[in-house]
Amino acid sequence: MLVKRTYTQEELTALLQRHGINPTAQRLEIARLLFARAEHVSAEDVFMLVNTAATPVSKATVYNTLGLFAERGLIREVIADPNKVFYDPNTAPHYHFYDVATGQLTDIDAEGVQITGLPSLPEGARMEGVDVIVRLRQSDRPTH
Amino acid sequence: MLVKRTYTQEELTALLQRHGINPTAQRLEIARLLFARAEHVSAEDVFMLVNTAATPVSKATVYNTLGLFAERGLIREVIADPNKVFYDPNTAPHYHFYDVATGQLTDIDAEGVQITGLPSLPEGARMEGVDVIVRLRQSDRPTH
DNA sequence: AAACCATCTATAATCATTCTAAATCGACAC
DNA sequence: GTGTCGATTTAGAATGATTATAGATGGTTT
Ligand SMILES: [Mn+2]
Ligand SMILES: [Mn+2]
Ligand SMILES: [Zn+2]
Ligand SMILES: [Zn+2]
């Protein structure tokens, strides 16, 4: 279970380095923000969040950094919405509720969830991960 | 299990009508093609396939028609690739392998697969469906 | 200081998808 | 047959997320 908290600059630096990422100012800033919120954010979200702070970061760098973080396993991509990729600072195995109306993603703890009976993988294939997305729609009639 | 076969014009017409869809020439053509292949296709795929035949169909109509079919439950959308939506003529519950390198989607029969221990849904939410996507990557070293 | 290399940035390009507004079509009425 | 009407289709423009380009910037090394 990922705990929402603030990391010191040293912890963030070590975190990036542990993943083979050169800890630049922009990358540290984006990492700080990702792990402070511990929520599912889009590139646009990150771009806006990072630019409420003092130092501006370009959109290109936001995309490059999120891509780099995902590639190095610091965060993971969640493909649930056809319009944008979500980035998830929680890389532990877990699943998602997706509210198709609002676009809200919510974690489902892997603890207790069992998926059995999956067929064996095609020849020569390695499993990268299993995504489970439970699509939800809020009932039209609100509880009164 | 969806069987790959050709439908008569009458069967297709009845199929659309059963889903509350006015069976126009373009819609019948697209439906015919979808159910003949019984594969996962993108809008672009459908656009190209439908335009190898005699009667041309516009891109706008392809998108409108696929959207309409999905909305009425004749086909389903699969969100697996961040770059495009796949449309699946198989609406029976089933899951997918997704080859992240090639973008290839392959069915996993729901038969035998069990997902247990999912938490109860948030208050007032209805489940629209459960998507399971097993992400695969072909091993770099080919079997020799 | 000059060279070097990684990174960052503004901006253009790409590309799937959606939007717009004008044709076209088909059923029905006259 | 001709006219009308609503539904559908269409070409093309617009949108928006993402990626590509190519030049600036910033440390670091000699
Ligand atoms: Mn999209
Ligand atoms: Mn995309
Ligand atoms: Zn998550
Ligand atoms: Zn399928």
Side-chain angles (χ1 to χ4, degrees), chain A residues 47-91:
Chain A
F47 178 68
M48 287 192 305
L49 287 166
V50 83
N51 282 310
T52 53
T55 33
V57 177
S58 75
K59 193 159 278 194
T61 296
V62 169
Y63 275 98
N64 289 340
T65 300
L66 290 172
L68 180 65
F69 285 4
E71 181 190 308
R72 299 295 165 84
L74 190 61
I75 62 180
R76 81 142 112 160
E77 294 186 348
V78 180
I79 312 299
D81 185 315
N83 296 308
K84 56 188 190 299
V85 173
F86 284 103
Y87 292 90
D88 192 340
N90 182 0
T91 55

Side-chain angles (χ1 to χ4, degrees), chain A residues 22 24 26-27 56 58 60-61:
Chain A
N22 189 8
T24 67
Q26 290 87 344
R27 289 168 183 171
S58 75
T61 296

